[in-house]
Amino acid sequence: MQSTGVASFRKMTPGMLESQRLAMANDIVKTTKAEVAITLKKAAPAMGIDGTAYHILDILIGLTRADDWKQDRRPLVAISNEKLAEYVCRSTRTVIRALKRLVEAGILAYRDSSTGRRFIYRNDASGEIDRGYGFDFSPARQRVAEIKQIGDAFQARLRAEQEAKRTVNRLSRAIVDACRTGQSDGVDCEVYLQELTALMDTPMMVVERAEKISELYEVVIADLAAAQEGETQTADNSDKTAEMSGDHDIDVTPYNITTPQTPINSKQWQPSYDGYSKTNFASNEAQKIALEKDQSSKFSAKSSGTAQLQSQQETLLDNGLSEHLSAISIGLIDSATAQTQEILGMPFSSWFDLLQSAEQLRLAIGLSEDGWKQAILTLGEKMAAAVLVVTVEKTLRDPEGISRPAGYFRACVDRAKDGKLALHKSLYGLALA
């Protein structure tokens, strides 16, 4: 009897097997491409996805179609290792290792053909995948809620560590300043400074260090306040003791010719000699010159700070975009993009918040970095961010209506460049819907 040998593609690991199990699940989780993209963006550092692996993840999720993320379809992407290596400017072996990391992290699953070749054949009428082999994002779709919790916990830990670092820097300086003040008043603060040095040199988590320095700061302030209160009471007692009786005092009558009875700052005292008026005039002139120099320096500093934005602002004025931007407020954007804020887990309370989220929003619609930079050059950063968040919100509300969100965004940029995009109307419509 003739036996047939079967060659394997790769050595499987427990992480790979778990990804394969998730890819074969029957209870498909309902989600969208934008939601999964933003969730992966926030959780990637916590899942150990960085560098080349993160770059490849960005490319792969951008190559998937939004319709393929429906519950009755499979989000597949077919691309060769060599083509990925060209995109990320790395070797093929580096790309293979990065793909393995994504699979073991529970984001992708291998879907191999009999020959190992990756390809996708679609139905011309419906656009659905008839046959497809490559990389399957089904594990990420099944774990979207879990990955979101991982990302939220990671972001919360980052915020706590940043706040702890600020607390350490702020209170350590405050302790040093308080000790210097106490030493100038004769209070021995050397023990507090030594304890602060020990806390800063001892290896520990930054949150724990912040707590210990906060406790030390409270002790320092309480002890210095008690010492100052004691000195005040001592001074009051010594003042009372130093009071003398008036038995041996003599009355002195001032000599009216040489001792003026009217204070100098009184309104009745008006010097009549020319020296005072000349001095006062010179002082006023000096103040005027100093004020002019100060205003001139401020103006020059402001001019140098805004010189880089001058050409961009001129472009906005020429295109009439500043008029459209003036009709858009961050409050309107905040009320019109509820679903986007829910996925990001943060409100758009300021333009800074929106601009900080631009990278995640870009990834959500599969927009390339070059496309985003070109939009900023064309519309300005704020207007481009407003168009981007509207595109993401519309994609989340109607995934079937916008099959190619990145192309929709570029079309909006072109219309805004020509002055034909009424973005404020779209925002009002989203807010009222």
Side-chain angles (χ1 to χ4, degrees), residues 12 15-23 36 40 47 49 53 56-61 64 69 75-77 79 84 95-96 98-111 134-141 143 147:
M12 301 297 290
M16 293 181 184
L17 293 175
E18 178 63 18
S19 295
Q20 296 300 121
R21 186 190 68 82
L22 291 171
V36 175
L40 290 176
M47 301 175 68
I49 306 301
I56 290 177
L57 174 63
D58 191 3
I59 293 173
L60 293 180
I61 202 168
T64 60
W69 290 84
L76 292 177
V77 57
I79 185 173
L84 280 174
V95 169
I96 293 175
L99 290 170
K100 182 180 178 182
R101 286 176 61 187
L102 294 175
V103 173
E104 291 181 337
I107 297 175
L108 293 177
Y110 294 112
R111 185 176 176 84
F135 300 107
D136 188 356
F137 272 99
S138 294
R141 177 170 62 180
R143 299 179 59 210
I147 296 174

Side-chain angles (χ1 to χ4, degrees), residues 314-378:
E314 291 177 353
T315 304
L316 293 178
L317 291 174
D318 290 341
N319 295 333
L321 297 176
S322 59
E323 195 174 316
H324 292 284
L325 186 59
S326 62
I328 300 172
S329 64
I330 191 63
L332 178 59
I333 293 176
D334 182 69
S335 61
T337 57
Q339 292 192 22
T340 303
Q341 296 174 49
E342 183 180 356
I343 291 178
L344 290 176
M346 60 175 294
F348 296 141
S349 56
S350 65
W351 282 105
F352 178 78
D353 295 338
L354 178 59
L355 296 178
Q356 286 291 102
S357 306
E359 180 66 17
Q360 300 181 39
L361 299 175
R362 178 192 70 80
L363 178 63
I365 64 173
L367 180 65
S368 64
E369 292 186 12
D370 292 338
W372 172 240
K373 292 178 181 177
Q374 186 61 39
I376 293 177
L377 292 176
T378 304

Side-chain angles (χ1 to χ4, degrees), residues 255-271:
Y255 190 52
N256 293 335
I257 299 178
T258 60
T259 306
Q261 299 296 312
T262 306
I264 294 178
N265 58 355
S266 176
K267 295 182 179 179
Q268 297 178 359
W269 185 76
Q270 298 180 357

